[in-house]
């Protein structure tokens, strides 16, 4: 279609939207002709109904003889008002009005009566008609005024009803928000809180179903964590992600997670964004939905999804209330996670496999069935120092392979036994990856080369956004594969006091000096490494190493003995 054709079609649509459409259901040809003649040449009615928008336009009148045909027209064409004769070939009396009123909903109806039917006209108004006209008394002016007033009254009634419904919905949501706030105070665990939120929303007659989903760190898939209401297998049938490049990520839930904003679908039957889930929603009578992000600062906990059997159930001020509910849930989860962190040593571990790092050592682990473990990694200015052990391989074979391995420098051995080697490696190629992890609050807890694979484990404080860390690592290296997430107990290397001073009191350089000295055997007797050797490994002058080490020792021992 050309641009000219498209513009012409848009203009026609706009013109049709401005036209006043009248449906006349009248079987008497003389009465019908009279009313049509009164309306055909008048522009006053269109001007009254749409001031300034219908200049020079006359009403569009459709006429039907039978009730059945009139209802079919009302359903197939836009109708602003119905002029209705009560006595038709296929229906008589007030039952005609009741049928039309039931089928056309909010469309205003003006009843046409005979001279002796005025009482029937009054009863018609009591049963839903906007007005009535006695056919023998109708004039053009009276007809125009009656239609105008009927349309205006219907519009005002519709607006008042919508305002009442919005106020009721707002009050209902505020009550739900209050109950959720109370649940926040009384619940002990995150799972319990999320379930209570869903239960409270589903208990309301206004909402058919509610569920909370979290993002699977490895796949971006939104997985259900709690649900209540009419579900009927819905969550098993649908697939939702937070990936904007996939169709399953462009719906309300995925968009809410990415943007941090409430996403409302006024009618899931027609919204293009809801296409992947439309059939499943229709089968369960979900007509509108809201997706509320559960986010605290930069930490995304998930998304709350609420469904209603009515279209446009989440409009106006309700969106702001829903956003507040999301904030309350997010703050509550944050508080629960922090409380758990204070009373528990649990941390989150993320396990990864890397394909193109230390490939010669990886191949050695496959051919010789040996295991190489890196138990401590210390970042220097120009290289990563790795302290670990190797089992099932000779010192000579291990050294030769290190010499051939790109990205790994010198190796020093602290202990050489028949079944195990303890060593120090310099790995300049790995510095950027491990610095990225440390910069964003993580720590490489361990790394292992075995069975032809190089795997490493990143440790995060409980409650941190694991998905963000996974994406950071993937951005740093495209050969990294995320494998698993688990919650485990924090390393018992130190008590809370020593852990606190390491993390809060020491600078990065002071901590690197202290850790390297410890793992390189500087404090052993006889010493496994001299100060000059450690300074060389860290890429600093011996005097600088000595200054960092003494300062770190003083801070560390002050934290232990200072009280």
């Amino acid at each position: 279609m050309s641009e000219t054709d498209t513009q012409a079609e848009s203009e026609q649509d706009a013109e049709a939207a401005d036209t006043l459409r009248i449906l006349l259901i009248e079987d008497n040809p003389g009465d019908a002709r009279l009313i049509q003649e009164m309306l055909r040449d008048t522009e006053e009615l269109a001007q009254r109904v749409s001031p300034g928008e219908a200049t020079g336009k006359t009403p569009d009148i459709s006429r039907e003889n039978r009730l059945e045909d009139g209802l079919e027209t009302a359903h197939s064409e836009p109708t602003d008002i119905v002029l209705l004769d009560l006595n038709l070939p296929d229906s008589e009396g007030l039952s005609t009005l009741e049928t039309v009123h039931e089928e056309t909903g909010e469309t205003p109806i003006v009843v046409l009566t005979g001279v002796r039917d005025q009482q029937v006209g009054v009863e018609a108004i009591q049963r839903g008609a906007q007005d009535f006209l006695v056919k023998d008394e109708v004039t053009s002016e009276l007809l125009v005024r009656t239609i105008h007033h009927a349309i205006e009254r219907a519009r005002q009634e519709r607006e008042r009803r919508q305002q009442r419904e919005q106020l009721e919905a707002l009050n209902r949501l505020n009550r739900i928000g209050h109950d959720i706030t109370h649940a926040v105070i009384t619940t002990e665990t995150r799972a319990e809180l999320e379930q209570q939120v869903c239960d409270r929303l589903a208990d309301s007659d206004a909402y058919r179903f509610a569920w909370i989903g979290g993002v699977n760190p490895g796949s971006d898939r939104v997985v259900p964590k709690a649900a209540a209401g009419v579900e009927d297998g819905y969550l098993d049938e649908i697939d939702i992600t937070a990936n904007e490049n996939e169709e399953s990520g462009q719906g309300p839930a995925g968009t809410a997670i990415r943007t941090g904003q409430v996403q409302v679908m006024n009618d899931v039957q027609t919204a293009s964004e809801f296409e992947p889930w439309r059939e499943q929603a229709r089968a369960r009578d979900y007509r509108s939905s809201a997706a509320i992000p559960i986010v605290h600062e930069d930490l995304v906990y998930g998304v709350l999804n609420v469904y209603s059997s009515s279209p446009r159930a989440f409009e106006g001020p309700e969106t702001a209330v829903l956003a507040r509910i999301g904030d309350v849930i997010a703050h509550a989860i944050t508080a629960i996670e922090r409380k758990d962190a204070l009373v528990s040593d649990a941390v989150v571990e993320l396990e990864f496999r890397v394909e193109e790092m230390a490939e010669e050592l990886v191949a050695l682990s496959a051919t010789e069935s040996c295991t190489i473990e890196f138990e401590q990694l210390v970042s220097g200015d120009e290289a990563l120092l790795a302290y670990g052990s190797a089992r099932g391989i000779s010192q000579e074979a291990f050294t030769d392979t290190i010499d051939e391995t790109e990205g790994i420098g010198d190796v020093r051995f602290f202990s050489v036994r028949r079944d195990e080697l303890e060593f120090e490696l310099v790995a300049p190629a790995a510095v950027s990856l491990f610095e990225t992890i440390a910069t964003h609050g993580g720590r490489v807890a361990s790394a292992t080369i075995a069975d032809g694979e190089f795997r490493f484990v990143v440790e995060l404080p409980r409650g941190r956004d694991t998905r963000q860390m996974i994406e950071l690592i993937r951005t740093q290296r495209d050969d990294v594969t995320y494998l698993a997430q688990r919650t485990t107990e924090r390393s018992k290397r130190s008590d809370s006091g020593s852990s606190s001073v390491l993390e809060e009191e020491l600078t990065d350089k002071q901590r690197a000096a202290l850790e390297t000295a410890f793992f390189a055997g500087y404090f052993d007797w006889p010493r496994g490494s001299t100060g000059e050797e450690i300074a060389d490994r860290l890429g600093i002058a011996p005097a600088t190493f000595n200054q960092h080490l003494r300062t770190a020792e003083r801070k560390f021992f002050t934290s232990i003995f200072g009280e």
Side-chain angles (χ1 to χ4, degrees):
M1 183 180 293
S2 68
E3 184 176 344
T4 303
D5 292 339
T6 303
Q7 182 177 357
E9 184 174 309
S10 299
E11 291 174 354
Q12 290 172 1
D13 291 342
E15 183 177 351
D18 291 339
T19 300
L20 179 65
R21 298 180 180 273
I22 299 174
L23 172 59
L24 173 61
I25 308 178
E26 170 64 74
D27 66 321
N28 187 304
D31 292 339
R33 189 179 307 110
L34 178 62
I35 290 175
Q36 287 175 311
E37 289 296 328
M38 287 181 180
L39 294 174
R40 179 163 289 134
D41 298 324
T42 178
E43 299 176 8
E44 179 187 357
L45 180 57
Q47 284 275 4
R48 286 192 180 191
V49 174
S50 303
E53 297 180 6
T55 303
K57 296 179 182 178
T58 57
D60 180 13
I61 306 170
S62 299
R63 185 237 171 163
E64 301 293 349
N65 298 325
R66 298 169 55 85
L67 176 61
E68 180 182 0
D69 297 334
L71 293 177
E72 184 177 345
T73 299
H75 290 151
S76 61
E77 300 177 4
T79 302
D80 294 306
I81 190 167
V82 177
L83 303 181
L84 177 67
D85 182 11
L86 297 182
N87 297 311
L88 300 168
D90 54 345
S91 181
E92 292 186 359
L94 291 173
S95 62
T96 306
L97 168 65
E98 292 171 352
T99 301
V100 174
H101 187 57
E102 182 179 343
E103 293 290 330
T104 60
E106 296 180 340
T107 303
I109 302 170
V110 173
V111 168
L112 304 175
T113 72
V115 176
R116 289 167 294 183
D117 294 334
Q118 291 198 40
Q119 183 58 39
V120 174
V122 173
E123 291 182 20
I125 293 177
Q126 295 172 346
R127 298 195 186 192
Q130 285 293 337
D131 209 335
F132 73 95
L133 289 170
V134 179
K135 295 179 185 180
D136 290 348
E137 299 176 358
V138 174
T139 63
S140 179
E141 181 182 352
L142 176 61
L143 182 59
V144 168
R145 185 169 64 248
T146 301
I147 292 175
H148 171 227
H149 289 166
I151 292 175
E152 182 63 19
R153 281 195 299 270
R155 182 187 64 79
Q156 292 176 356
E157 289 174 4
R158 186 166 55 250
E159 289 181 352
R160 285 194 295 269
R161 179 186 56 77
Q162 290 173 346
Q163 290 171 354
R164 286 196 303 271
E165 290 176 353
Q166 286 186 359
L167 183 58
E168 290 170 1
L170 196 58
N171 290 335
R172 180 174 56 247
L173 260 182
N174 280 321
R175 289 193 298 270
I176 291 173
H178 179 270
D179 292 343
I180 289 174
T181 303
H182 179 71
V184 164
I185 298 171
T186 57
T187 50
E188 295 290 331
T189 67
R190 176 176 174 178
E192 182 184 359
L193 169 65
E194 291 173 336
Q195 188 59 54
Q196 286 202 27
V197 169
C198 294
D199 289 341
R200 180 61 187 88
L201 286 162
D203 282 344
S204 170
D205 293 336
Y207 306 125
R208 191 162 176 80
F209 177 48
W211 66 284
I212 290 177
V215 181
N216 187 314
S219 65
D220 280 338
R221 187 170 181 269
V222 180
V223 294
K225 303 180 69 178
V230 180
E231 191 262 346
D232 292 339
Y234 179 72
L235 297 177
D236 294 328
E237 295 181 16
I238 65 170
D239 183 37
I240 297 175
T241 71
N243 189 336
E244 64 179 336
N245 297 319
E246 298 178 4
E247 186 181 34
S248 57
Q250 295 173 9
T255 305
I257 289 172
R258 290 193 305 275
T259 64
Q261 303 293 323
V262 176
Q263 302 297 311
V264 172
M265 294 286 107
N266 284 319
D267 192 342
V268 302
Q269 309 280 14
T270 58
S272 59
E273 302 94 328
F274 213 85
E275 175 63 31
W277 313 280
R278 180 167 294 132
E279 290 303 318
Q280 293 87 345
R282 182 184 288 122
R284 295 159 180 85
D285 196 27
Y286 306 156
R287 288 296 305 275
S288 59
S289 77
I292 303 100
I294 304 174
V295 181
H296 178 69
E297 295 179 348
D298 293 329
L299 191 56
V300 180
Y301 288 117
V303 60
L304 167 64
N305 301 275
V306 189
Y307 302 81
S308 172
S309 57
S310 302
R312 313 190 74 85
F314 306 94
E315 289 191 314
E318 292 176 71
T319 304
V321 179
L322 289 169
R324 287 201 299 272
I325 289 175
D327 289 341
V328 169
I329 299 170
H331 279 84
I333 293 175
T334 301
I336 290 172
E337 297 280 9
R338 286 176 178 172
K339 183 180 72 173
D340 288 347
L342 290 174
V343 299
S344 169
D345 287 323
V347 293
V348 175
E349 288 185 347
L350 304 176
E351 186 174 6
F352 300 86
R353 180 177 62 244
V354 59
E355 303 292 344
E356 300 174 9
M357 183 179 289
E359 292 174 271
E360 290 78 6
L361 284 176
V362 173
L364 180 69
S365 73
T367 57
E368 299 293 333
S369 299
C370 63
T371 299
I372 304 166
E373 294 184 346
F374 303 96
E375 289 124 12
Q376 185 65 30
L377 299 148
V378 181
S379 179
D381 285 352
E382 300 177 355
L384 186 76
L385 302 181
Y387 297 91
S389 60
R391 296 187 298 276
I393 188 70
S394 68
Q395 179 182 7
E396 182 181 3
F398 186 71
T399 303
D400 290 344
T401 305
I402 290 294
D403 291 340
E404 298 170 359
T405 302
E406 184 179 354
I408 294 182
D410 296 340
V411 59
R412 289 197 304 152
F413 294 97
F414 301 131
S415 173
V416 179
R417 296 188 292 273
R418 184 176 60 85
D419 58 345
E420 185 176 26
L421 308 172
E422 293 184 359
F423 59 82
E424 173 197 74
L425 288 178
V426 181
V431 170
S432 60
L433 173 62
F434 291 99
E435 282 185 347
T436 297
I437 294 170
T439 300
H440 292 85
R443 183 180 76 87
V444 179
S446 64
T448 304
I449 297 176
D451 300 323
E453 288 189 343
F454 190 153
R455 299 190 177 199
F456 64 92
V457 175
V458 175
E459 186 180 277
L460 285 172
R462 189 172 177 182
R464 293 297 296 270
D465 190 342
T466 55
R467 191 166 65 97
Q468 182 185 43
M469 178 60 73
I470 292 169
E471 290 305 316
L472 284 167
I473 293 173
R474 283 174 171 167
T475 302
Q476 184 73 25
R477 292 187 67 103
D478 57 13
D479 63 331
V480 168
T481 301
Y482 166 76
L483 299 176
Q485 174 178 320
R486 52 186 171 265
T487 301
T488 185
E489 291 298 307
R490 190 186 305 273
S491 171
K492 301 296 184 181
R493 288 184 292 111
S494 58
D495 61 24
S496 59
S498 59
S499 176
S500 175
V501 70
L502 285 174
E503 295 174 0
E504 299 175 11
E505 298 293 332
L506 302 186
T507 66
D508 291 341
K509 293 184 181 298
Q510 291 165 0
R511 178 168 179 167
L514 185 61
E515 288 184 337
T516 306
F518 178 80
F519 291 104
Y522 181 79
F523 299 111
D524 296 345
W525 187 260
R527 284 180 172 172
S529 300
T530 65
E532 289 78 7
E533 290 173 325
I534 296 173
D536 181 60
R537 285 287 193 262
L538 293 174
I540 57 178
T544 303
F545 163 71
N546 189 61
Q547 177 185 356
H548 291 331
L549 180 62
R550 294 305 180 193
T551 303
E553 288 174 335
R554 176 177 53 78
K555 290 181 178 180
F556 186 82
F557 289 123
T558 298
S559 72
I560 302 299
F561 303 119
E563 294 297 330

